[in-house]
Amino acid sequence: MPFLGQDWRSPGWSWIKTEDGWKRCESCSQELDSENQYNINHSIILNSEDEEIFNEECEYTSKKRKKDHFRNDINTQCFYREKWIYVHKESTKERHGYCTLGEAFNRLDFSSAIQDIRRFNYVVKLLQLIAKSQLTSLSGVAQKNYFNILDKIVQKVLHDHQNPRLIKDLLQDLSSTLCILIRGVGKSVLVGNINIWICRLETILTWQQQLQNLQMTKQVNNGLTLSDLPLHMLNNILYRFSDGWDIITLGQVTPTLYMLSEDRQLWKKLCQYHFAEKQFCRHLILSEKGHIEWKLMYFALQKYYPTKEQYGDTLHFCRHCSILFWKDSGHPCTATDPDSCFMPVSPQHFIDLFKF
């Protein structure tokens, strides 16, 4: 019976037939050897337990990684550019099967969505939720698309220096999930070889190291700057923020902004926007003078209750046509009053749509 696997003489290498016999392709070997040039201090990112697991798995897969390099190239492009998809949850006479989370993730145009500043946070949040609970439910192609889109997001952040904190949180959750999956290999269902997941974890650690080393370049501008604005305008800008970490970050720019960012009324409004009064009573934090510490309460409440999410643009679901679509793209709706059928879809709702 013929051997149908890779070249038995050296699995994973590329060989060329010449007059003198078979010779190994040097360009491929150089490409693989170049991977060893990047030394990452994994202890900076992983805790001691996860680092031990990571090192054990690396030793176990060191001989196989080169074999899987050519078959499982993460840069394989599988992007789709559909503006809407039909979400069917059961078979009918006209349509068989059902739409899964992986299929929806493959077909919808997330690759272009990350280039739109209105949709960027929405896509990042969706990737974060998938990383926490739905990563193993994705098919092999959907996993490749997931990491390809994630790669584009990281490169975008490294290029324009915007939203690094969001991506750091996403990568931290993803690396934690992968460490748990690798630790429990055999107990959980992993699509693909264990070596693929090890390589993906190494890639995530590389991205985390790059983001940690990211240096914000100071822009030289002789025109009007944020510091030149009057106090009431700076205060109005701070009141527009819905994330407490954004307020703290802006407060680190100048002493004036720091003074405005410590305003008790500002943090009180932020707490009232995200949380209910009943939740305040359960987690009251008082100062020595008996005043409510609204800033500390915000971060305390954030640990127990979800905050309201704000996005410039989201996916929408048409209840009449059962179609998921980007609002500005629209879809061929057959309802007499289409607007009454449209429903905005949060990242969590997007995942819940495909739970059966």
Side-chain angles (χ1 to χ4, degrees):
M1 185 174 180
F3 179 71
L4 301 180
Q6 290 184 322
D7 197 324
W8 57 271
R9 282 162 290 202
S10 181
W13 296 112
S14 180
W15 293 78
I16 300 176
K17 188 175 182 180
T18 64
E19 296 179 355
D20 299 329
W22 288 89
K23 291 186 177 181
R24 196 176 69 193
C25 180
E26 294 298 332
S27 60
C28 296
S29 61
Q30 293 175 0
E31 180 183 355
L32 287 171
D33 293 337
S34 64
E35 293 180 353
N36 299 326
Q37 298 176 0
Y38 301 97
N39 296 322
I40 306 171
N41 187 5
H42 301 119
S43 61
I44 298 177
I45 301 168
L46 297 177
N47 55 42
S48 58
E49 183 180 358
D50 290 339
E51 184 184 7
E52 181 181 353
I53 295 167
F54 176 79
N55 291 332
E56 290 177 359
E57 294 295 341
C58 284
E59 292 176 3
Y60 175 75
T61 61
S62 59
K63 294 182 180 180
K64 291 186 177 182
R65 189 176 296 117
K66 292 182 179 180
K67 183 179 79 171
D68 294 327
H69 175 82
F70 296 99
R71 292 186 302 174
N72 304 290
D73 184 8
I74 196 172
N75 294 323
T76 304
Q77 300 296 318
C78 304
F79 293 128
Y80 293 80
R81 299 191 177 277
E82 296 186 29
K83 302 300 182 183
W84 57 269
I85 61 169
Y86 178 76
V87 181
H88 51 288
K89 295 187 177 183
E90 57 185 9
S91 299
T92 62
K93 293 182 179 179
E94 296 81 11
R95 189 184 296 268
H96 294 280
Y98 54 89
C99 185
T100 63
L101 175 64
E103 182 182 354
F105 189 81
N106 284 338
R107 293 173 57 189
L108 284 170
D109 187 14
F110 289 110
S111 178
S112 299
I114 62 177
Q115 304 300 330
D116 190 334
I117 192 173
R118 300 171 303 165
R119 301 175 180 174
F120 182 84
N121 290 2
Y122 182 86
V123 177
V124 170
K125 182 63 175 180
L126 179 59
L127 293 181
Q128 190 171 15
L129 291 176
I130 292 176
K132 288 181 177 179
S133 61
Q134 301 295 321
L135 194 60
T136 55
S137 68
L138 299 181
S139 64
V141 175
Q143 288 175 9
K144 280 189 175 183
N145 281 336
Y146 181 94
F147 283 94
N148 284 333
I149 292 174
L150 183 57
D151 180 42
K152 295 182 69 175
I153 290 176
V154 173
Q155 299 309 319
K156 183 179 186 300
V157 172
L158 292 174
H159 179 264
D160 58 21
H161 297 178
Q162 294 183 9
N163 299 306
R165 180 170 55 82
L166 290 177
I167 310 307
K168 287 180 181 179
D169 293 341
L170 167 59
L171 294 179
Q172 184 60 43
D173 290 339
L174 185 56
S175 62
S176 299
T177 300
L178 288 187
C179 286
I180 294 172
L181 292 175
I182 292 171
R183 185 188 302 119
V185 63
K187 299 179 182 179
S188 59
V189 179
L190 289 178
V191 178
N193 193 285
I194 182 64
N195 305 309
I196 303 175
W197 294 93
I198 292 293
C199 291
R200 287 170 176 169
L201 181 57
E202 288 180 339
T203 303
I204 294 169
L205 296 174
T206 303
W207 289 337
Q208 288 180 309
Q209 188 69 42
Q210 291 174 343
L211 289 172
Q212 283 186 354
N213 298 332
L214 182 63
Q215 298 293 331
M216 300 294 181
T217 56
K218 186 176 181 180
Q219 298 181 357
V220 179
N221 191 351
N222 297 326
L224 186 67
T225 63
L226 191 65
S227 302
D228 298 326
L229 296 176
L231 290 179
H232 72 276
M233 293 187 67
L234 293 175
N235 205 37
N236 286 337
I237 292 174
L238 287 170
Y239 271 84
R240 294 294 189 275
F241 287 169
S242 60
D243 191 334
W245 285 110
D246 290 336
I247 296 176
I248 292 177
T249 303
L250 185 59
Q252 296 173 350
V253 177
T254 63
T256 302
L257 287 170
Y258 175 77
M259 177 193 67
L260 295 174
S261 66
E262 293 295 318
D263 182 22
R264 294 180 63 255
Q265 191 66 23
L266 171 66
W267 291 98
K268 179 180 179 180
K269 292 287 185 182
L270 192 63
C271 288
Q272 291 175 342
Y273 172 75
H274 286 287
F275 310 106
E277 292 186 6
K278 292 183 179 179
Q279 297 169 342
F280 295 163
C281 300
R282 299 174 184 174
H283 304 278
L284 274 178
I285 300 178
L286 302 177
S287 64
E288 295 179 355
K289 297 180 179 180
H291 300 300
I292 298 177
E293 294 286 354
W294 291 104
K295 181 179 178 180
L296 296 178
M297 275 191 57
Y298 169 80
F299 291 105
L301 291 168
Q302 200 177 33
K303 297 178 181 179
Y304 299 100
Y305 309 104
T307 57
K308 291 184 179 179
E309 299 176 356
Q310 280 189 338
Y311 304 103
D313 189 17
T314 67
L315 286 167
H316 281 65
F317 182 72
C318 180
R319 288 170 289 189
H320 180 267
C321 306
S322 295
I323 286 179
L324 195 63
F325 63 98
W326 293 107
K327 186 177 181 180
D328 59 352
S329 303
H331 77 285
C333 186
T334 58
T336 55
D337 186 12
D339 292 339
S340 62
C341 303
F342 297 168
M343 177 180 63
V345 178
S346 66
Q348 184 61 54
H349 188 198
F350 177 89
I351 293 177
D352 293 340
L353 277 176
F354 304 98
K355 289 183 179 179
F356 304 103

